[in-house]
Amino acid sequence: MSVLVDDDTRVVVQGITGGEGEFHAGQMIEYGTNVVAGAVPGRGGEEVHGVPVYDTVSRAAEAENADASVVLVPPAFAADALFEALDSPVDLVVAITEGIPAQDMAKVYKRLSETDTHLIGPNCPGVITPGEAKLGILPGNIFSSGNVGLISRSGTLTYQVVDNLTDRGLGQTTAIGIGGDPIIGTDFVDALSLFEDDPATDAIVMCGEIGGSDEEEAAEYIDANMDTPVAGFIAGRTAPPGKRMGHAGAIVSGSGAGTAESKIEALSEAGVPVGDTPEEVADNVEELL
Amino acid sequence: MRLHEYQAKEVFAEAGLPTPDAELAESTDEVLAAAESIGYPVAVKAQVHVGGRGKAGGIELAESDDEAREAADSILGMDLKGYTVDRVLVEAAVDFVDELYVGVTMDRGEGKPVAMVSSEGGVNIEEVAEESPEAIAREHVDPAFGLHPYQARRAVYDAGVEDDVASDVAGVLSTLYDLWEDSDAEDTEVNPVMVTSDREVICADAVMNIDDDALFRHPDLAEMEEAAAEDDLEAKANEYGFDYVRLEGNVGIIGNGAGLVMTTLDLVDYYGGAPANFLDIGGGAKAERVANALDMVFSDENVDSVVFNIFGGITRGDEVAQGINDAIAQFDELPKPIVVRLAGTNAEEGMEILNTDALDVEETLEGAVQKAVEHAGGESR
């Protein structure tokens, strides 16, 4: 079992004719992902890696029965691509693009709330169910199939932690890079609930970082709703305070939340062991299983 | 990108917000001339990107030529939290009876814009938010519709703003929202909005931060950018376009992705060392960018060793390895020891081309960090 994606997932790649789109569509196909179409305005009728390209996402979804989209479109056009995917509609949208203006994302987020679609990202490495499908830019070779679910705000930190897990035989059901932007689709709580409902996931790793209060909210959710054990990691303990904290942003949330200490404390109180190093996270998972 | 107060005030004034008469000045003579044309009393305000200017001595009131000269002499050239003041804004001082806070930002938790008003302005508003959050009225905004006028009014009344100025303050909030939206701002803020004894409402301060990711849509605002760097290294980082923060330690850190770089910092600390910097080369970095990163870290005299931690996803190991080779090729002998850890996409290809004669190569993150800490003379547990 897995969450969000498996070997039945039929994927359309938005932006497949671009440099990153073409490279990573190829990598996804090589991994065994069912990439069934590309969608690029004005490029309908072409083929990339033997996959047909359509002018619109809805045409691609209709012609090829696609139910998921991976967005590898430059930031200036990404919000439009996301609106298109949400309107096509597909069940899952994975937005890899980094640097989408925050106000664009607020509008996308509003639209998302009116749909049943799952949005992963933006500014994320994607989603992978090892051995079945990867939607995104994750290096497939470090993942292995198993019973640990993984959720992370940081792409490269995901790889690091997975590497530590895989190294000692702790395979993964699904790994979800939820992205580090201020406004994202699926957050920790959404992803935790998906894993909680997945019988094949016996333990979960959640990797957070400083900023925002998503980890604190996740801790509350874990305490109140979760049976599956969770191990945590928080990056940024040594980050200098006040370096990149907006002025008004701090007023919104009051204060206190957002620091590594606050997140580690909240998680610890919810019974989540927080490792000092990625290696220790793997130790903790071993103990939880 | 943060606008200086004088720049934000220009934008605000153009949008119809009431701002005091003001002129920018770079010398004592210019301050005196500005004060003359504006009329005393004036406020002389340092134009640097730091908070709490007033408390730090960066804002002085002047009621005469003598006081204006004194204020100019003390502020121009002063060091304000690491920044040298080379310009001041000379502004008509407002005779106020009340100070309010008005601001618009993105509430990341809600994924929505939020408009805020408080009758407790003119003070450290973060402290107000922490100690008495109820003193700040907040209205969340549907980004598809913008701030409705009734929401602006509700916020103003909820904040307890006095009735006779309520509609003017609501107008300030509405305009700030429109500016926020039109300019892709992260926040637009006025603290304080001053209420005069004549019951006039004046924006005595102006804060405006633009979303860097949206600058492509605002070439006019992008032109206003004045890179404010604390030192030469940060200036260099701006030039190269790196996310870079200088720290106190001696282990230079280069990596890809903020989460992994932060983790590398944390591990250096954990293993008894002290990070000298945070440097994220970002996703998909090419060889030249990697070489620039090494150049940056080598330029920091405090650095005694460098750990280069790359876990490729969109970044490719062979590109990184080529960049490292290019960067070190210019040295007969490396100025500082470099420990490289390369994993992920095309890491094997990278390891094949990496010039391992000149470098320490470690397979694990933990190993690489410990080695770099040792090289820097730190302990390693």
Side-chain angles (χ1 to χ4, degrees), chain A residues 203-216:
Chain A
I204 302 165
V205 175
M206 91 175 237
C207 299
E209 58 188 43
I210 50 168
S213 58
D214 282 8
E215 291 82 356
E216 286 86 341

Side-chain angles (χ1 to χ4, degrees), chain B residues 64-346:
Chain B
S64 64
D65 281 354
D66 283 348
E67 286 181 17
R69 184 176 294 115
E70 213 170 286
D73 287 346
S74 76
I75 297 175
L76 280 167
M78 81 183 286
D79 178 274
L80 207 60
K81 300 183 180 175
Y83 296 88
T84 305
V85 180
D86 54 10
R87 283 168 310 173
V88 291
L89 188 64
V90 183
E91 187 175 81
V94 178
D95 183 20
F96 62 93
V97 292
D98 240 333
E99 293 182 294
L100 313 170
Y101 167 85
V102 180
V104 177
T105 190
M106 185 73 78
D107 183 342
R108 58 182 290 170
E110 296 287 326
K112 283 179 184 167
V114 60
M116 298 176 285
V117 179
S118 175
S119 52
E120 296 184 25
V123 295
N124 185 337
I125 194 74
E126 282 94 345
E127 275 172 28
V128 175
E130 195 166 343
E131 283 154 26
S132 42
E134 72 288 347
I136 300 170
R138 298 171 175 81
E139 285 283 335
H140 282 100
V141 181
D142 183 329
F145 296 112
L147 180 72
H148 295 294
Y150 82 86
Q151 289 185 291
R153 293 195 298 272
R154 185 162 67 189
V156 166
Y157 287 118
D158 283 354
V161 173
E162 289 181 40
D163 286 358
D164 62 336
V165 292
S167 120
D168 284 349
V169 178
V172 169
L173 181 58
S174 290
T175 306
L176 277 187
Y177 184 86
D178 292 343
L179 268 179
W180 180 86
E181 189 180 24
D182 294 345
S183 58
D184 271 295
E186 288 174 344
D187 33 61
T188 49
E189 275 184 303
V190 181
N191 186 25
V193 170
M194 287 178 173
V195 181
T196 68
S197 51
D198 302 338
R199 311 309 285 166
E200 261 190 279
V201 166
I202 295 176
C203 297
D205 185 39
V207 170
M208 199 165 177
N209 287 300
I210 311 296
D211 182 353
D212 289 336
D213 288 336
L215 278 178
F216 68 88
R217 286 201 281 246
H218 305 282
D220 49 330
L221 292 170
E223 257 178 37
M224 291 185 175
E225 172 138 45
E226 293 171 11
E230 282 183 52
D231 55 37
D232 293 350
L233 276 174
E234 301 215 339
K236 203 174 214 178
N238 285 340
E239 208 173 288
Y240 285 146
F242 286 128
D243 278 333
Y244 172 86
V245 180
R246 190 173 189 180
L247 302 166
E248 306 286 311
N250 64 345
V251 180
I253 295 163
I254 304 171
N256 64 325
L260 185 63
V261 181
M262 280 196 286
T263 300
T264 313
L265 259 69
D266 294 350
L267 287 188
V268 165
D269 177 71
Y270 178 79
Y271 287 115
N277 66 275
F278 169 102
L279 200 169
D280 178 5
I281 61 170
K286 302 286 188 229
E288 188 190 353
R289 198 164 168 75
V290 173
N292 289 347
L294 264 178
D295 175 46
M296 281 238 34
V297 177
F298 278 161
S299 308
D300 183 347
E301 286 170 8
N302 293 337
V303 168
D304 290 325
S305 71
V306 181
V307 56
F308 214 115
N309 182 30
I310 298 294
F311 212 124
I314 204 158
T315 303
R316 295 164 207 171
D318 47 348
E319 283 279 352
V320 172
Q322 192 56 53
I324 295 175
N325 285 354
D326 293 350
I328 63 177
Q330 54 182 309
F331 300 102
D332 293 333
E333 195 178 339
L334 282 182
K336 288 138 196 189
I338 305 175
V339 186
V340 179
R341 185 279 183 124
L342 202 55
T345 306
N346 291 4

Side-chain angles (χ1 to χ4, degrees), chain A:
Chain A
M1 278 284 287
S2 60
V3 302
L4 294 170
V5 300
D6 57 27
D7 50 15
D8 290 330
T9 307
R10 296 175 64 83
V11 181
V12 50
V13 177
Q14 291 177 256
I16 198 168
T17 53
E20 297 298 343
E22 186 179 346
F23 177 78
H24 289 288
Q27 297 273 307
M28 285 185 248
I29 291 165
E30 200 174 297
Y31 193 74
T33 311
N34 244 333
V35 177
V36 296
V40 181
R43 305 291 289 266
E46 295 181 19
E47 272 193 6
V48 176
H49 301 303
V51 171
V53 179
Y54 296 85
D55 287 311
T56 68
V57 178
S58 33
R59 279 186 194 166
E62 199 176 325
E64 306 294 341
N65 272 327
D67 54 9
S69 163
V70 176
V71 178
L72 282 155
V73 170
F77 313 106
D80 187 48
L82 292 176
F83 277 114
E84 185 183 6
L86 292 175
D87 203 25
S88 59
V90 287
D91 302 327
L92 172 70
V93 181
V94 178
I96 307 303
T97 309
E98 177 181 356
I100 303 178
Q103 294 198 16
D104 287 5
M105 270 316 296
K107 294 189 176 92
V108 170
Y109 191 76
K110 160 72 177 170
R111 176 76 186 95
L112 179 70
S113 71
E114 299 160 350
T115 72
D116 294 324
T117 303
H118 286 287
L119 169 66
I120 309 293
N123 188 14
C124 81
V127 185
I128 185 168
T129 292
E132 298 193 32
K134 82 158 178 165
L135 277 65
I137 58 175
L138 316 100
N141 62 319
I142 60 171
F143 293 85
S144 62
S145 187
N147 59 351
V148 180
L150 188 130
I151 315 162
S152 175
R153 270 172 73 183
S154 153
T156 45
L157 180 56
T158 308
Y159 313 158
Q160 177 61 50
V161 171
V162 164
D163 207 36
N164 290 78
L165 293 173
T166 297
D167 237 20
R168 59 175 81 187
L170 299 167
Q172 303 91 43
T173 45
T174 300
I176 311 172
I178 59 174
D181 273 8
I183 301 176
I184 54 172
T186 297
D187 61 13
F188 279 122
V189 170
D190 301 330
L192 285 165
S193 75
L194 290 171
F195 281 126
E196 175 74 4
D197 292 340
D198 175 33
T201 300
D202 295 329
I204 302 165
V205 175
M206 91 175 237
C207 299
E209 58 188 43
I210 50 168
S213 58
D214 282 8
E215 291 82 356
E216 286 86 341
E217 280 153 33
E220 261 178 53
Y221 178 83
I222 291 166
D223 200 30
N225 302 294
M226 302 267 306
D227 290 325
T228 313
V230 182
F233 184 77
I234 300 293
R237 295 166 188 234
T238 51
K243 259 298 173 186
R244 168 96 186 106
M245 288 275 163
H247 200 63
I251 303 169
V252 175
S253 56
S255 163
T259 63
E261 297 81 58
S262 154
K263 291 171 194 297
I264 292 168
E265 192 185 317
L267 287 169
S268 303
E269 276 172 17
V272 176
V274 180
D276 284 330
T277 68
E279 196 61 48
E280 229 177 87
V281 173
D283 292 342
N284 290 336
V285 174
E286 260 178 351
E287 270 176 43
L288 293 175
L289 282 170

